[in-house]
Structure formats: C-alpha cells, structure tokens
Amino acid sequence: MIEARERKDSISEEVSLGGLETTVGFLLRLAQVAVFKDLLAALKPFDLRVTDLSVLLVIEATPGLQQRVIGEVLRVQRSNLVTIIDQLEARGLVRRGPVPGDRRAYALSLTVAGEALLQKAKAAHAQHDRKVLDALGKVDKAQMLAALERIAAL
Amino acid sequence: MIEARERKDSISEEVSLGGLETTVGFLLRLAQVAVFKDLLAALKPFDLRVTDLSVLLVIEATPGLQQRVIGEVLRVQRSNLVTIIDQLEARGLVRRGPVPGDRRAYALSLTVAGEALLQKAKAAHAQHDRKVLDALGKVDKAQMLAALERIAAL
DNA sequence: TGAGATAGTTAGCACTCATAACAAAATGCG
DNA sequence: CGCATTTTGTTATGAGTGCTAACTATCTCA
C-alpha cells in the first residue's frame, strides 16, 4: 500500500494549475467530493447513501410528505426517487401510506425500524458534520451557508 | 415556460429539510452543481466541458506535461484522460509530442488553434468566475479558498 | 540481463442525472 | 355533468462520469 508519491518530485507542489487553484469552482468541486466521500463512509455501517439519509431526514421532519415534494426540496428527479423509496420501503424503513383525498399519491412516513436506524445514522452524520465545521476555520458558518446559497442560486 | 411553482403552497418555504438546510455539505452540493452548470453553459459556444477547459489551462501553464501528471493535479483517472485528450487532439487543439528519453509518454502542448480557442474560453470563464465571486458577498475569497481546501483534505 | 515498475490504452461496470412516455387519478372549465 | 388538462407515480432509456482490472510497450535498476 505504499503510495507512489515520491517519484522524482512531489508534483502538486511543482506543477501549476494555470490559475485553477485560485478558483472557487475548482475547489468547490474538490471539497464537495471530499465531503460526500467522507459522509458515504460514515453511513456505510447503515448501508445508506447520502441521498437516502437526506430522504429519511426530510420524511422525519415532515411525515406524510409526497414523493414529488421530497424530490423538489432535495433536487432529485421524481422518477429517480421511485427507486430510492422502493429500496427504503423494501428494507422496511419507510412506509408508503395513502393520502386522504388523493389516490395517486403516497404519504411517506418512517417505520419504527426506519426511525431507529435514522437515529443511529444521525449520530454518524453529526460526527461527520463536526469534521466539516472544524475545517471551516475562520470562516463563519452562517456566512458560509449564505454564500453557498447565493452561489447555488447563480 | 410557466413554472409549476404555484401549486397550493410554495413548498421550499413550508417544508422543513430536517436540518439539511443548515448543513455545509448539502449546500456545498447545490453550489457545486450550480457552478458547474453555469460554467458548462458558458463554455457551450466553444464545445468544451469543464474538464476540457481545466486540461487546456494546465497544459498552457506547463507545456510538455505528461497525461499522468495532468490526471494527478486535476484528480482525473489517467484512463479517463485518454478519451479527453483523444478528443482534444482530434479537434486539433492539443498535440501529443514525444518525450525525450521516454517513448511511453507524451509531451502535451497546445496547438495554435488550441491556444486561440483557449483564449476565448478563458474570457468566458472569467465572466463566469466573476459571477461566482460576486455571490461570495461578505466572505473573503482567500478565506473561502482556504476553507474549501481544508474541507477537500478531510 | 531480468524482475519489477510505469505510461498509456482498452474494456467493462456502477452510479448519478435527465428525459420521454404512460396509466391512473385529480382538477377545472364550459 | 362531461371532457380536456394537469398531476403523481412509474418505467424505460440514454448521457455523463468515475473506478477498476488487465494489457502492451517501455523504462529502471539491481
């Protein structure tokens, strides 16, 4: 498992990125990839992907939600949500209940097992989030969130 | 093109994201997606993807680079770089020259056409980058970059 | 010289994201 | 009411990206 980093030079130091290294977009990608990788690893014990956790969190916060709404707030295409909910339902974590007055839609809620798993996953998520917050350094969290929100609304 | 946002409520306001909305990771993803979408659109006239521009920038900054090195600094698998360079070379933007003393490797450099296209693409990129920087608001760019770097190194 | 490492390549798999088309049900307007 | 339109969930499918394994040619070095 010896890394091949000591070739003839340590590269990252010597090679210019042509201005990329001072670009918000480029580092934004690296940061996002790292965060997702870290969170995915943290959720591994629960066999949950990042989106799975997001879905569970949203359902917990507002039970009875329809798939369409979850897709909107999480920016997931509703067609792609089908498989996600399918799997969560097959694992007995989420229930597709009836929506009174609309037989097309499902009212999503957590099962007892889903609630239990979510609690454990939330602990892992909190630990992960702490690492991210620590990395913020001087940057104020609220200002960072505001900035990211504005960027997201480009 | 009338958005279907006025259903019975404007959702994003009413539905809780279960804490996700105050999470750096979640907004990081939204921001990154938005930035890439915006940059991709800005590069559309030049038929370049984001990675293509990155590759051209790196080659311009340090001509004679090998594919392996580019892959390392840009975090692109060297197997995936093959196709990218193939296309750039087929379009006459990049040249695979010989590396003196190593017949396995290629010394990459920009052609005149590549240099010309890059200049135009750089202008578009600068305009895009300005939008991103404007969105930073109070947050200092240098501090933002430093924070993103630390997050990327999680 | 010969074993092992390295550069580039090829092929294939997996995951995410997006679109189109569809059935069933709801909505709304004449 | 009746019928066109919209909406929800679903299915199928394609584009894009990323990762791994295996292979050839070449280089390195003991």
Side-chain angles (χ1 to χ4, degrees), chain B residues 28-81:
Chain B
L28 207 52
R29 183 178 77 106
L30 296 188
Q32 195 268 334
V33 168
V35 166
F36 262 56
K37 198 167 292 183
D38 187 76
L39 181 53
L40 183 64
L43 294 178
K44 194 98 176 186
F46 314 106
D47 195 24
L48 291 175
R49 287 160 302 174
V50 178
T51 308
D52 295 330
L53 174 65
S54 305
V55 168
L56 294 180
L57 284 172
V58 173
I59 295 179
E60 184 198 36
T62 314
L65 239 41
Q66 303 181 13
Q67 291 181 198
R68 187 204 89 238
V69 181
I70 296 182
E72 273 183 43
V73 297
L74 293 183
R75 324 281 180 108
V76 175
Q77 226 72 29
R78 69 187 189 289
S79 59
N80 294 328
L81 253 180

Side-chain angles (χ1 to χ4, degrees), chain A residues 89-137:
Chain A
E89 189 186 33
R91 291 174 61 186
L93 304 175
V94 158
R95 190 171 22 234
R96 276 197 249 232
V99 170
D102 192 337
R103 283 177 297 170
R104 297 170 303 177
Y106 293 126
L108 298 174
S109 57
L110 298 183
T111 64
V112 177
E115 182 62 43
L117 185 69
L118 178 55
Q119 291 317 312
K120 288 188 285 185
K122 274 165 90 169
H125 176 256
Q127 199 169 343
H128 152 84
D129 203 49
R130 171 62 54 98
K131 282 165 68 178
V132 175
L133 290 181
D134 286 348
L136 284 187

Side-chain angles (χ1 to χ4, degrees), chain A residues 31-50:
Chain A
Q32 195 266 335
V33 167
V35 166
F36 262 56
K37 198 168 293 184
D38 186 77
L39 181 52
L40 183 63
L43 294 178
K44 194 100 175 185
F46 314 106
D47 196 24
L48 291 174
R49 287 161 302 175
V50 178

